[in-house]
Structure formats: structure tokens, C-alpha cells
Amino acid sequence: MSAFPGSIAFDEYGRPFIILRDQDRQKRLTGVDALKSHILAARQIANTLRTSLGPKGLDKMLVSSDGDVTVTNDGATILKMMDIEHEIGKLLVELSQSQDDEIGDGTTGVVVLAGGLLEQAATLIDRGIHPIRIADGFELACRAAVEHLDKIAELFPVSASDPEPLIKVALTTLGSKIINKCHRQMAEIAVNAVLAVADLEQKDVNFELIKLEGKVGGKLEDTVLVEGVVIDKTMSHPQMPKELKNAKIAILTCPFEPPKPKTKHKLDVTDVAKYKELRQYEQDKFKEMVDLVKKAGATLAICQWGFDDEANHLLLQQNLPAVRWVGGPEIELIAIATGGRIVPRFEELSPEKLGSAGLVRELSFGTTNDKMMVIKDCAKSKAVTILVRGGNKMLVDEAKRSLHDALCVVRSLIQDPRVVFGGGAAEISCSLAIAEQADQLASLEQYAFRGFAEALDIVPLALAENSGLSAINALGEVKSIQAQTGNSAIGIDCMFTGDNSMRNQHVIESLKSKRQQFLLATQLVKMILKIDDVRSPNDQRG
């Protein structure tokens, strides 16, 4: 009974009652009040994100407690950086995070949809319908929506020889981002990066092989895709060559320093001769290490650890260029790209363990001393690096986030090559189908079905609002066209092209992403509707 928050007592008639500990210091919300509080909190957060949806969505500026500024319209990033105290708000943060982890795109849409569902749930609760009946009805409606999505989805041509269709999907994803001024270029970079590392037979993309590296300075248009690895390091000595052709690379995780005894030790050097002897031993060891690397045939040493100036000087004398302090993930990438083996001890080095690269050179940027190294034309070149440029750190960071979304969408299309149409078209089509099904239901769930159908309308409504259209008129017009023609590609014309067909505008979303949005939002709403009692310390909000 230790987990019980109080104790049981009996009155004079033998009836039990509970005495709760610290009752005066606790705040308690029960029943409908608790539900209303949760719904209000979730709606406020959803409304914050609502203005970021779509190609005309606005960005948010978030300032952290230590003054770091982030400008973004990526839903998951906004929620992660917002200082949310309310418990239900934290659940919404996790919701957008799980959409980000699973799909990588659609993080704003999933939260806006959850907010719409909770809004409808509040109306149904006011009508006196039990929250569990609403939750069950939403779940059934979600199942019907996902089935309808499968019906309206179209097969999508994915091939390495014709990347154009994939580029069009990447354009849709990047349309709502800050980097849409070099829209086409970024979409091509994202698609080419994924296709470079994709295994189209296994329908798999290993994201670890795509590295996003940012460098402030230069224009967004200077962003390039490098077939190989870019590391934010330079040669260890300024006089080492800045460019190596047909390099043989020794990838080392052992430091260039004399071996130390493993036990805790203290060495007393009592006379000059002993000191000279020790110094000679150290130098011999350095020489031996360098000789081992040279003997294996290496023309470049990449070391995970540092080495001191003496070793550095010796490496220069022996004409062995080296790079020090290369991080673990980068070491792995270099090994994959160059076909080399990571060697933990100098004695184990052999010619077959060396990686090979056609070109290793230092890149310098502008007038600053900033330099990076690029390893290109590798033997097993599967690894690629996208080098993002931009006028300031915020822009570079946002470009990296946007490219990550585009990469994720292209990956999900390789895994499941089916698409639905964007611009709210898929939501409107599902909304119409579910409203139709609601008329066939005799049970109480029909109200939840209609509520779900109305909640789906919140996405096209938000798109129309953010584009400066009259939201209700635009939605009504598109809905009536879809109802009359049954064409599930008719959506909100956010770009004012005068054409509502998303097929003609090439506004495409992956089916996997849309389905995941519906399922995750419904699961979260069902969970929130089942909470009817909240206890919290009095100094917090309930």
C-alpha cells in the first residue's frame, strides 16, 4: 500500500473514507474540468504552430535562456525550444518529435491536426457525450481515413535514372521553408544525396552516410553536394601539402605518443644521463611509429587523437601529411568512403588496411582562416556530404533542418513509393469520405465521425489562412469541387496560380507521412481524452 497517496479511515457507521496526504498543498482537477484544461492547453500550442503551416507559413524566432536565437518554421524544432510547463503541452512536443523521428517531415501538420481533434472533442463533451465514446469514435474514424488514403494514393515512379519526380516531392517539402529562394537547387541536392547512398533493390537508405556540414559565409546558392567526406579540420602542420592526389590513407585510433604503463606510476629521473636516455627513447618511439605508417604505404595519416609538436615536426620531416583530432563519426565515415580499416595499433597497419581516395585537399573560405578538408573520388564512395553555406549561423542551421526534412521525404518514398496530393487535398478527400460514412452509423460514434471529418478541415483552413485567402470561402469552394467530381487532387491554391489541381502544381506528399500524421494525432488525442484527474503541487498550473 506504500504507493497509495493517503490512508483509509472509517466513520462511526463503518463506512470507509480516504484521508489524502498534503491535501492542502495540492491542486486537483477532476472530470470535465481536467479535460477542458488539457484541451485548452493543447489548442493554444497547436494555434502557435498553425501559422507556420504551408508554403506561406511564417517563421518563429525563439530565444533560449542563454541568448541563443533560432529562427525556424520546423514544428519539431519550435516545440523542442518552447518553454512549455503544461503536462499536456509536453505530450504534444513528444508527438511532433515522434513524427520527426519516424518520417522527418509533417511535424507541424501533426500537431495542428491533434489541436483540431481536441477542439472537436470539446464540442462533443459539451453535448454530453462521454469522452471514451468520443475517443473510440475518433479511432474508428482514423481507421476509415487511413483506408481511404490507401484508396486515393497513387504509385510513384522511383528510379535513379529519372530523379525528376523525386525532385518534385522535395520541392513540395522545401516550399514551406526559408530556403525556397534557391528551391530547385536544394531539392536536387537532397535527391542526389539520397540516390547516391540508396539501395533501391532493398528499398533502404542509410542516413549515416549523408553528412550535413555547415559553414557561415557565402550565399545559400553556394551550397554543394560533395561526393565524399568533408571534415572541419586542416593538416596538422601549416607546411604540409594542401592537396594530395591518389592518397593512401591510414585511419588511426591510436595516438602518436610513446606508450605509457597502464598502472598509476611515478618516474623519478635522478641524473642528466637518465633524462637523455628517456628523451632518446621517446624520439625512437616516434620514429618507429612514423616508419610503420610509411612502411604500410600510407601517404596521409588521419588520427583520432592529437599529437604534440615534436611528433608533428617529425611527420613533416618524413613527408607524411597528417590530420589530428578527427571525431569518431567522421573517422567511421572516412573508413566507409575510402574502403579503409580503422587501425587501433601501429603494429597492425598493413597495406590492405589503407583507404584510398582520388583527391584530398583543403578548402578555404573567403578571407578568413577557416579551412576544411574534403576527401573525394573514393574507392567505395557511398558517403556524401552536403556543405551548406549561408549569410549567418541561423540561416545555415535552418537550411540544414530544411534539407533534413527533404532527405527524409525522399527516403520514405524509396521505402514506400506511394503518394497523395498536398495542399489539403488528401485531408478534404478523407473528410468527405468520413462524413459520408457517419450518415450510415446508427450509434453515438457518428458524432465523433463528423467531429473527425471537421477536424481534418483544419489543415486546408490553416493553409488558406496563411496564404491570405478567405479561409472559409476557399475551403467551401474546394470541398464542393471534390464532392462533385470525386477528384482527390483538388486542394488549396496557396501560390495563387489560378489552378486548384495539386496534380498540375506538383504538390505531392508521401502516403507514409500522411498516414503517420493521422495515426499519431489520433493516438495522442485518445490518450488525452482518457485523463480525468490531475494532481499537482499547488505552485504549478494544473
Side-chain angles (χ1 to χ4, degrees):
M1 290 294 283
S2 61
F4 192 69
S7 54
I8 296 182
F10 296 90
D11 64 8
E12 63 268 33
Y13 300 111
R15 291 178 302 210
F17 61 92
I18 299 168
I19 301 168
L20 289 167
R21 267 198 302 267
D22 303 332
Q23 184 72 343
D24 57 328
R25 291 205 298 277
Q26 286 193 344
K27 188 172 178 188
R28 185 176 182 190
L29 275 175
T30 55
V32 175
D33 288 343
L35 280 166
K36 287 282 173 69
S37 157
H38 299 158
I39 289 170
L40 185 67
R43 274 175 58 188
Q44 278 178 331
I45 289 169
N47 287 343
T48 307
L49 285 194
R50 192 172 164 166
T51 53
S52 297
L53 195 67
K56 299 282 172 77
L58 302 172
D59 290 357
K60 306 275 177 274
M61 182 186 270
L62 301 140
V63 185
S64 70
S65 49
D66 51 2
D68 284 345
V69 178
T70 307
V71 176
T72 181
N73 75 350
D74 179 59
T77 310
I78 295 170
L79 284 180
K80 211 187 298 173
M81 296 197 163
M82 269 167 71
D83 200 6
I84 297 171
E85 279 180 23
H86 201 286
E87 301 72 27
I88 297 298
K90 288 174 184 165
L91 291 179
L92 281 169
V93 175
E94 287 172 18
L95 169 74
S96 72
Q97 196 53 53
S98 56
Q99 174 78 15
D100 201 28
D101 294 344
E102 187 66 23
I103 306 291
D105 189 35
T107 49
T108 311
V110 72
V111 176
V112 170
L113 180 57
L117 284 169
L118 286 168
E119 206 169 313
Q120 295 301 322
T123 314
L124 295 172
I125 288 167
D126 287 343
R127 285 191 183 176
I129 300 174
H130 195 281
I132 293 297
R133 298 298 293 270
I134 299 170
D136 290 346
F138 278 172
E139 194 163 12
L140 288 170
C142 177
R143 210 173 294 160
V146 169
E147 281 169 16
H148 184 71
L149 276 178
D150 283 340
K151 279 183 204 154
I152 62 171
E154 297 183 6
L155 207 60
F156 190 76
V158 173
S159 76
S161 54
D162 178 22
E164 190 57 36
L166 285 171
I167 291 170
K168 281 176 179 159
V169 181
L171 286 170
T172 305
T173 303
L174 295 172
S176 62
K177 309 290 182 193
I178 203 166
I179 61 173
N180 64 2
K181 78 182 185 86
C182 40
H183 206 164
R184 173 90 199 175
Q185 179 194 349
M186 291 295 188
E188 283 176 8
I189 285 174
V191 171
N192 291 337
V194 173
L195 288 176
V197 301
D199 183 342
L200 292 175
E201 282 173 24
Q202 298 287 331
K203 294 192 169 178
D204 188 34
V205 179
N206 183 356
F207 256 18
E208 285 179 7
L209 298 177
I210 301 175
K211 190 161 173 268
L212 280 166
E213 198 59 74
K215 202 76 179 163
V216 175
K219 308 186 294 288
L220 264 178
E221 286 87 343
D222 296 338
T223 300
V224 287
L225 175 68
V226 179
E227 291 200 355
V229 185
V230 176
I231 52 173
D232 202 354
K233 295 280 177 263
T234 55
M235 292 292 186
S236 60
H237 197 292
Q239 286 172 328
M240 284 176 181
K242 301 285 181 267
E243 188 171 309
L244 294 170
K245 290 202 167 101
N246 299 323
K248 293 282 178 206
I249 304 171
I251 305 164
L252 305 166
T253 54
C254 41
F256 270 98
E257 56 182 39
K260 293 189 180 80
K262 288 282 179 280
T263 51
K264 288 231 168 113
H265 61 284
K266 181 169 170 245
L267 193 62
D268 286 333
V269 180
T270 48
D271 56 25
V272 177
K274 284 259 177 67
Y275 178 73
K276 282 186 174 166
E277 205 178 300
L278 186 65
R279 184 160 162 60
Q280 190 57 46
Y281 167 75
E282 282 193 359
Q283 270 193 323
D284 291 347
K285 269 291 171 198
F286 277 143
K287 188 106 178 48
E288 196 183 308
M289 288 169 185
V290 177
D291 285 346
L292 282 168
V293 178
K294 294 275 285 185
K295 207 166 90 183
T299 55
L300 172 67
I302 289 182
C303 190
Q304 188 173 4
W305 304 106
F307 33 81
D308 59 17
D309 291 345
E310 197 174 346
N312 206 3
H313 188 67
L314 193 65
L315 286 164
L316 179 70
Q317 270 182 338
Q318 300 287 329
N319 290 328
L320 180 61
V323 185
R324 56 184 163 186
W325 297 122
V326 180
E330 286 153 339
I331 282 261
E332 284 175 28
L333 258 179
I334 293 167
I336 293 168
T338 60
R341 296 279 295 278
I342 297 172
V343 180
R345 288 165 60 197
F346 288 100
E347 290 78 14
E348 290 176 21
L349 259 175
S350 62
E352 60 272 11
K353 288 185 181 175
L354 299 179
S356 55
L359 180 68
V360 178
R361 69 187 178 93
E362 276 187 11
L363 300 172
S364 55
F365 298 99
T367 55
T368 62
N369 285 329
D370 277 0
K371 290 188 173 60
M372 292 176 103
M373 273 190 76
V374 59
I375 300 170
K376 288 174 77 173
D377 307 333
C378 306
K380 304 265 189 313
S381 186
K382 264 290 205 182
V384 294
T385 306
I386 300 173
L387 184 57
V388 183
R389 305 300 310 277
N392 59 18
K393 188 172 181 298
M394 283 185 297
L395 197 61
V396 170
D397 289 347
E398 179 65 356
K400 279 165 80 170
R401 278 190 290 270
S402 308
L403 277 166
H404 176 261
D405 282 7
L407 294 169
C408 290
V409 168
V410 178
R411 175 181 68 169
S412 68
L413 272 177
I414 286 173
Q415 289 170 342
D416 181 359
R418 286 181 297 166
V419 292
V420 290
F421 290 97
E427 281 87 353
I428 292 169
S429 182
C430 289
S431 170
L432 289 166
I434 291 167
E436 204 176 296
Q437 282 193 30
D439 297 338
Q440 266 108 60
L441 288 175
S443 64
L444 254 182
E445 272 76 17
Q446 62 174 300
Y447 293 104
F449 261 66
R450 286 197 189 98
F452 195 93
E454 278 186 44
L456 286 173
D457 289 346
I458 198 163
V459 173
L461 267 176
L463 286 172
E465 260 171 46
N466 295 346
S467 306
L469 296 162
S470 163
I472 297 291
N473 289 351
L475 177 66
E477 192 184 315
V478 170
K479 247 186 157 172
S480 72
I481 298 173
Q482 273 217 29
Q484 285 161 22
T485 61
N487 180 357
S488 64
I490 302 293
I492 303 288
D493 177 22
C494 297
M495 305 309 285
F496 308 120
T497 58
D499 184 1
N500 281 101
S501 169
M502 295 296 123
R503 186 180 268 111
N504 299 346
Q505 285 198 37
H506 303 299
V507 180
I508 315 164
E509 291 188 58
S510 88
L511 168 70
K512 198 175 171 191
S513 170
K514 194 55 77 187
R515 188 201 286 138
Q516 189 77 4
Q517 277 186 23
F518 286 8
L519 291 168
L520 287 179
T522 309
Q523 273 175 16
L524 181 87
V525 169
K526 190 176 175 190
M527 187 171 137
I528 291 173
L529 288 174
K530 285 189 167 180
I531 302 169
D532 79 327
D533 195 342
V534 182
R535 312 188 140 271
S536 55
N538 224 350
D539 57 342
Q540 280 189 359
R541 296 180 306 167

mmCIF file of all heavy atoms in Angstrom, residues 42-54 57-58 60 72-80 82 92-93 96 107-112 462 466:
data_model
loop_
_atom_site.group_PDB
_atom_site.id
_atom_site.type_symbol
_atom_site.label_atom_id
_atom_site.label_comp_id
_atom_site.label_asym_id
_atom_site.label_seq_id
_atom_site.Cartn_x
_atom_site.Cartn_y
_atom_site.Cartn_z
ATOM 1 N N ALA A 42 -3.574 22.261 -25.131
ATOM 2 C CA ALA A 42 -3.140 21.675 -26.406
ATOM 3 C C ALA A 42 -3.538 22.581 -27.571
ATOM 4 O O ALA A 42 -2.777 22.754 -28.526
ATOM 5 C CB ALA A 42 -3.757 20.295 -26.573
ATOM 6 N N ARG A 43 -4.709 23.180 -27.473
ATOM 7 C CA ARG A 43 -5.163 24.060 -28.567
ATOM 8 C C ARG A 43 -4.290 25.302 -28.684
ATOM 9 O O ARG A 43 -4.000 25.784 -29.777
ATOM 10 C CB ARG A 43 -6.625 24.459 -28.343
ATOM 11 C CG ARG A 43 -7.594 23.424 -28.900
ATOM 12 C CD ARG A 43 -9.012 23.775 -28.568
ATOM 13 N NE ARG A 43 -9.383 25.093 -29.071
ATOM 14 C CZ ARG A 43 -10.539 25.692 -28.760
ATOM 15 N NH1 ARG A 43 -11.399 25.101 -27.964
ATOM 16 N NH2 ARG A 43 -10.828 26.872 -29.258
ATOM 17 N N GLN A 44 -3.872 25.825 -27.524
ATOM 18 C CA GLN A 44 -3.004 27.015 -27.564
ATOM 19 C C GLN A 44 -1.691 26.718 -28.283
ATOM 20 O O GLN A 44 -1.206 27.506 -29.095
ATOM 21 C CB GLN A 44 -2.713 27.490 -26.139
ATOM 22 C CG GLN A 44 -3.858 28.342 -25.588
ATOM 23 C CD GLN A 44 -3.584 28.760 -24.160
ATOM 24 O OE1 GLN A 44 -2.900 28.069 -23.430
ATOM 25 N NE2 GLN A 44 -4.147 29.867 -23.754
ATOM 26 N N ILE A 45 -1.125 25.533 -27.987
ATOM 27 C CA ILE A 45 0.143 25.167 -28.631
ATOM 28 C C ILE A 45 -0.075 24.920 -30.122
ATOM 29 O O ILE A 45 0.697 25.360 -30.965
ATOM 30 C CB ILE A 45 0.751 23.929 -27.936
ATOM 31 C CG1 ILE A 45 1.245 24.346 -26.557
ATOM 32 C CG2 ILE A 45 1.902 23.348 -28.750
ATOM 33 C CD1 ILE A 45 1.622 23.244 -25.655
ATOM 34 N N ALA A 46 -1.184 24.224 -30.454
ATOM 35 C CA ALA A 46 -1.489 23.945 -31.863
ATOM 36 C C ALA A 46 -1.695 25.262 -32.623
ATOM 37 O O ALA A 46 -1.264 25.407 -33.767
ATOM 38 C CB ALA A 46 -2.724 23.061 -31.966
ATOM 39 N N ASN A 47 -2.345 26.234 -31.970
ATOM 40 C CA ASN A 47 -2.578 27.531 -32.633
ATOM 41 C C ASN A 47 -1.276 28.303 -32.863
ATOM 42 O O ASN A 47 -1.149 29.066 -33.812
ATOM 43 C CB ASN A 47 -3.548 28.387 -31.813
ATOM 44 C CG ASN A 47 -4.967 27.857 -31.929
ATOM 45 O OD1 ASN A 47 -5.266 27.086 -32.842
ATOM 46 N ND2 ASN A 47 -5.831 28.228 -31.000
ATOM 47 N N THR A 48 -0.303 28.092 -31.956
ATOM 48 C CA THR A 48 1.007 28.733 -32.143
ATOM 49 C C THR A 48 1.660 28.217 -33.421
ATOM 50 O O THR A 48 2.264 28.959 -34.186
ATOM 51 C CB THR A 48 1.932 28.413 -30.940
ATOM 52 O OG1 THR A 48 1.253 28.765 -29.753
ATOM 53 C CG2 THR A 48 3.232 29.174 -31.026
ATOM 54 N N LEU A 49 1.528 26.898 -33.634
ATOM 55 C CA LEU A 49 2.167 26.283 -34.808
ATOM 56 C C LEU A 49 1.365 26.490 -36.081
ATOM 57 O O LEU A 49 1.892 26.370 -37.180
ATOM 58 C CB LEU A 49 2.332 24.775 -34.584
ATOM 59 C CG LEU A 49 3.430 24.313 -33.643
ATOM 60 C CD1 LEU A 49 3.661 22.826 -33.802
ATOM 61 C CD2 LEU A 49 4.744 25.027 -33.911
ATOM 62 N N ARG A 50 0.084 26.768 -35.917
ATOM 63 C CA ARG A 50 -0.812 26.811 -37.075
ATOM 64 C C ARG A 50 -0.345 27.816 -38.133
ATOM 65 O O ARG A 50 -0.458 27.573 -39.328
ATOM 66 C CB ARG A 50 -2.209 27.176 -36.557
ATOM 67 C CG ARG A 50 -3.290 26.985 -37.568
ATOM 68 C CD ARG A 50 -4.635 27.183 -36.915
ATOM 69 N NE ARG A 50 -5.640 27.382 -37.941
ATOM 70 C CZ ARG A 50 -6.936 27.318 -37.708
ATOM 71 N NH1 ARG A 50 -7.377 27.056 -36.509
ATOM 72 N NH2 ARG A 50 -7.796 27.518 -38.684
ATOM 73 N N THR A 51 0.206 28.929 -37.681
ATOM 74 C CA THR A 51 0.631 29.964 -38.640
ATOM 75 C C THR A 51 1.912 29.573 -39.385
ATOM 76 O O THR A 51 2.340 30.278 -40.288
ATOM 77 C CB THR A 51 0.869 31.303 -37.915
ATOM 78 O OG1 THR A 51 1.768 31.072 -36.835
ATOM 79 C CG2 THR A 51 -0.418 31.886 -37.395
ATOM 80 N N SER A 52 2.544 28.465 -38.972
ATOM 81 C CA SER A 52 3.784 28.041 -39.646
ATOM 82 C C SER A 52 3.508 27.013 -40.741
ATOM 83 O O SER A 52 4.435 26.515 -41.362
ATOM 84 C CB SER A 52 4.744 27.405 -38.637
ATOM 85 O OG SER A 52 5.109 28.340 -37.679
ATOM 86 N N LEU A 53 2.237 26.680 -40.949
ATOM 87 C CA LEU A 53 1.917 25.598 -41.890
ATOM 88 C C LEU A 53 1.882 26.115 -43.328
ATOM 89 O O LEU A 53 1.363 27.190 -43.591
ATOM 90 C CB LEU A 53 0.542 25.019 -41.497
ATOM 91 C CG LEU A 53 0.147 23.666 -42.088
ATOM 92 C CD1 LEU A 53 1.042 22.573 -41.555
ATOM 93 C CD2 LEU A 53 -1.298 23.334 -41.752
ATOM 94 N N GLY A 54 2.436 25.325 -44.224
ATOM 95 C CA GLY A 54 2.270 25.622 -45.648
ATOM 96 C C GLY A 54 3.341 26.520 -46.242
ATOM 97 O O GLY A 54 4.208 27.035 -45.532
ATOM 98 N N GLY A 57 3.628 29.843 -44.764
ATOM 99 C CA GLY A 57 3.693 29.819 -43.297
ATOM 100 C C GLY A 57 4.793 30.738 -42.781
ATOM 101 O O GLY A 57 5.805 30.949 -43.437
ATOM 102 N N LEU A 58 4.567 31.284 -41.583
ATOM 103 C CA LEU A 58 5.524 32.246 -41.023
ATOM 104 C C LEU A 58 6.511 31.541 -40.101
ATOM 105 O O LEU A 58 6.212 30.490 -39.549
ATOM 106 C CB LEU A 58 4.764 33.329 -40.259
ATOM 107 C CG LEU A 58 3.737 34.085 -41.110
ATOM 108 C CD1 LEU A 58 2.902 34.999 -40.252
ATOM 109 C CD2 LEU A 58 4.430 34.882 -42.195
ATOM 110 N N LYS A 60 9.134 31.341 -36.725
ATOM 111 C CA LYS A 60 9.122 31.739 -35.313
ATOM 112 C C LYS A 60 10.570 32.021 -34.890
ATOM 113 O O LYS A 60 11.488 31.315 -35.314
ATOM 114 C CB LYS A 60 8.576 30.609 -34.442
ATOM 115 C CG LYS A 60 7.208 30.097 -34.867
ATOM 116 C CD LYS A 60 6.098 30.925 -34.274
ATOM 117 C CE LYS A 60 4.746 30.462 -34.750
ATOM 118 N NZ LYS A 60 4.325 31.045 -36.009
ATOM 119 N N THR A 72 12.996 29.514 -37.143
ATOM 120 C CA THR A 72 12.617 28.280 -37.839
ATOM 121 C C THR A 72 11.113 28.202 -38.038
ATOM 122 O O THR A 72 10.361 28.890 -37.348
ATOM 123 C CB THR A 72 13.096 27.052 -37.032
ATOM 124 O OG1 THR A 72 12.743 25.859 -37.729
ATOM 125 C CG2 THR A 72 12.471 27.003 -35.652
ATOM 126 N N ASN A 73 10.684 27.375 -39.001
ATOM 127 C CA ASN A 73 9.251 27.032 -39.038
ATOM 128 C C ASN A 73 9.085 25.525 -39.038
ATOM 129 O O ASN A 73 8.080 24.997 -39.468
ATOM 130 C CB ASN A 73 8.538 27.698 -40.231
ATOM 131 C CG ASN A 73 8.861 27.034 -41.547
ATOM 132 O OD1 ASN A 73 9.740 26.192 -41.628
ATOM 133 N ND2 ASN A 73 8.161 27.411 -42.587
ATOM 134 N N ASP A 74 10.098 24.818 -38.534
ATOM 135 C CA ASP A 74 10.023 23.368 -38.390
ATOM 136 C C ASP A 74 9.314 23.061 -37.072
ATOM 137 O O ASP A 74 9.793 23.422 -36.002
ATOM 138 C CB ASP A 74 11.452 22.800 -38.391
ATOM 139 C CG ASP A 74 11.461 21.300 -38.216
ATOM 140 O OD1 ASP A 74 10.864 20.615 -39.057
ATOM 141 O OD2 ASP A 74 12.042 20.818 -37.237
ATOM 142 N N GLY A 75 8.160 22.410 -37.169
ATOM 143 C CA GLY A 75 7.310 22.190 -35.988
ATOM 144 C C GLY A 75 8.040 21.552 -34.823
ATOM 145 O O GLY A 75 7.932 21.997 -33.674
ATOM 146 N N ALA A 76 8.815 20.506 -35.104
ATOM 147 C CA ALA A 76 9.502 19.784 -34.026
ATOM 148 C C ALA A 76 10.513 20.695 -33.327
ATOM 149 O O ALA A 76 10.636 20.675 -32.099
ATOM 150 C CB ALA A 76 10.210 18.553 -34.589
ATOM 151 N N THR A 77 11.212 21.516 -34.108
ATOM 152 C CA THR A 77 12.226 22.413 -33.525
ATOM 153 C C THR A 77 11.557 23.487 -32.665
ATOM 154 O O THR A 77 12.025 23.799 -31.567
ATOM 155 C CB THR A 77 13.061 23.077 -34.642
ATOM 156 O OG1 THR A 77 13.511 22.060 -35.529
ATOM 157 C CG2 THR A 77 14.238 23.823 -34.089
ATOM 158 N N ILE A 78 10.445 24.050 -33.169
ATOM 159 C CA ILE A 78 9.743 25.099 -32.405
ATOM 160 C C ILE A 78 9.303 24.538 -31.053
ATOM 161 O O ILE A 78 9.543 25.138 -30.001
ATOM 162 C CB ILE A 78 8.508 25.619 -33.190
ATOM 163 C CG1 ILE A 78 8.948 26.331 -34.476
ATOM 164 C CG2 ILE A 78 7.669 26.563 -32.323
ATOM 165 C CD1 ILE A 78 7.813 26.657 -35.434
ATOM 166 N N LEU A 79 8.678 23.361 -31.074
ATOM 167 C CA LEU A 79 8.157 22.803 -29.822
ATOM 168 C C LEU A 79 9.290 22.410 -28.876
ATOM 169 O O LEU A 79 9.179 22.563 -27.674
ATOM 170 C CB LEU A 79 7.285 21.579 -30.120
ATOM 171 C CG LEU A 79 5.898 21.907 -30.677
ATOM 172 C CD1 LEU A 79 5.115 20.647 -30.942
ATOM 173 C CD2 LEU A 79 5.098 22.783 -29.722
ATOM 174 N N LYS A 80 10.392 21.914 -29.446
ATOM 175 C CA LYS A 80 11.508 21.486 -28.596
ATOM 176 C C LYS A 80 12.090 22.688 -27.858
ATOM 177 O O LYS A 80 12.521 22.585 -26.724
ATOM 178 C CB LYS A 80 12.576 20.850 -29.488
ATOM 179 C CG LYS A 80 13.367 19.749 -28.770
ATOM 180 C CD LYS A 80 14.522 19.234 -29.601
ATOM 181 C CE LYS A 80 14.095 18.607 -30.899
ATOM 182 N NZ LYS A 80 15.213 18.254 -31.773
ATOM 183 N N MET A 82 10.448 25.645 -27.277
ATOM 184 C CA MET A 82 9.492 26.430 -26.484
ATOM 185 C C MET A 82 9.554 25.964 -25.027
ATOM 186 O O MET A 82 9.738 24.783 -24.755
ATOM 187 C CB MET A 82 8.060 26.200 -27.009
ATOM 188 C CG MET A 82 7.645 27.188 -28.057
ATOM 189 S SD MET A 82 6.152 26.675 -28.913
ATOM 190 C CE MET A 82 4.916 26.891 -27.698
ATOM 191 N N LEU A 92 2.482 16.996 -26.533
ATOM 192 C CA LEU A 92 2.481 17.461 -27.926
ATOM 193 C C LEU A 92 3.904 17.596 -28.470
ATOM 194 O O LEU A 92 4.146 17.350 -29.646
ATOM 195 C CB LEU A 92 1.755 18.804 -28.044
ATOM 196 C CG LEU A 92 0.229 18.733 -28.040
ATOM 197 C CD1 LEU A 92 -0.359 20.108 -27.891
ATOM 198 C CD2 LEU A 92 -0.299 18.084 -29.304
ATOM 199 N N VAL A 93 4.823 17.987 -27.596
ATOM 200 C CA VAL A 93 6.231 18.074 -28.010
ATOM 201 C C VAL A 93 6.705 16.683 -28.428
ATOM 202 O O VAL A 93 7.345 16.502 -29.469
ATOM 203 C CB VAL A 93 7.119 18.603 -26.855
ATOM 204 C CG1 VAL A 93 8.578 18.582 -27.250
ATOM 205 C CG2 VAL A 93 6.695 20.009 -26.472
ATOM 206 N N SER A 96 5.253 15.644 -31.903
ATOM 207 C CA SER A 96 5.951 16.165 -33.084
ATOM 208 C C SER A 96 7.322 15.505 -33.216
ATOM 209 O O SER A 96 7.806 15.264 -34.315
ATOM 210 C CB SER A 96 6.104 17.682 -33.000
ATOM 211 O OG SER A 96 7.056 18.021 -32.041
ATOM 212 N N THR A 107 5.856 17.628 -39.222
ATOM 213 C CA THR A 107 5.817 17.797 -37.766
ATOM 214 C C THR A 107 4.838 18.894 -37.355
ATOM 215 O O THR A 107 4.247 18.830 -36.287
ATOM 216 C CB THR A 107 7.215 18.141 -37.225
ATOM 217 O OG1 THR A 107 7.753 19.196 -38.021
ATOM 218 C CG2 THR A 107 8.133 16.956 -37.315
ATOM 219 N N THR A 108 4.665 19.909 -38.202
ATOM 220 C CA THR A 108 3.711 20.979 -37.877
ATOM 221 C C THR A 108 2.290 20.466 -38.088
ATOM 222 O O THR A 108 1.417 20.649 -37.237
ATOM 223 C CB THR A 108 3.957 22.211 -38.782
ATOM 224 O OG1 THR A 108 5.345 22.522 -38.757
ATOM 225 C CG2 THR A 108 3.162 23.406 -38.310
ATOM 226 N N GLY A 109 2.085 19.784 -39.213
ATOM 227 C CA GLY A 109 0.743 19.282 -39.558
ATOM 228 C C GLY A 109 0.167 18.356 -38.515
ATOM 229 O O GLY A 109 -1.022 18.411 -38.192
ATOM 230 N N VAL A 110 1.020 17.507 -37.930
ATOM 231 C CA VAL A 110 0.507 16.514 -36.979
ATOM 232 C C VAL A 110 0.003 17.204 -35.707
ATOM 233 O O VAL A 110 -1.018 16.823 -35.124
ATOM 234 C CB VAL A 110 1.584 15.433 -36.674
ATOM 235 C CG1 VAL A 110 2.714 15.947 -35.832
ATOM 236 C CG2 VAL A 110 0.958 14.232 -36.010
ATOM 237 N N VAL A 111 0.676 18.270 -35.284
ATOM 238 C CA VAL A 111 0.251 18.990 -34.068
ATOM 239 C C VAL A 111 -1.019 19.800 -34.350
ATOM 240 O O VAL A 111 -1.936 19.850 -33.529
ATOM 241 C CB VAL A 111 1.393 19.910 -33.549
ATOM 242 C CG1 VAL A 111 0.932 20.732 -32.369
ATOM 243 C CG2 VAL A 111 2.595 19.073 -33.170
ATOM 244 N N VAL A 112 -1.084 20.410 -35.535
ATOM 245 C CA VAL A 112 -2.287 21.182 -35.909
ATOM 246 C C VAL A 112 -3.493 20.255 -35.970
ATOM 247 O O VAL A 112 -4.586 20.589 -35.500
ATOM 248 C CB VAL A 112 -2.054 21.900 -37.264
ATOM 249 C CG1 VAL A 112 -3.338 22.498 -37.795
ATOM 250 C CG2 VAL A 112 -1.001 22.983 -37.104
ATOM 251 N N ALA A 462 -6.069 26.201 -42.359
ATOM 252 C CA ALA A 462 -4.840 26.902 -41.939
ATOM 253 C C ALA A 462 -4.004 27.298 -43.156
ATOM 254 O O ALA A 462 -3.442 28.394 -43.207
ATOM 255 C CB ALA A 462 -4.028 26.006 -41.005
ATOM 256 N N ASN A 466 -3.062 31.153 -43.937
ATOM 257 C CA ASN A 466 -1.663 31.586 -44.012
ATOM 258 C C ASN A 466 -1.319 32.174 -45.376
ATOM 259 O O ASN A 466 -0.340 32.902 -45.513
ATOM 260 C CB ASN A 466 -0.716 30.416 -43.717
ATOM 261 C CG ASN A 466 -0.856 29.926 -42.292
ATOM 262 O OD1 ASN A 466 -1.445 30.594 -41.462
ATOM 263 N ND2 ASN A 466 -0.333 28.754 -42.010
#
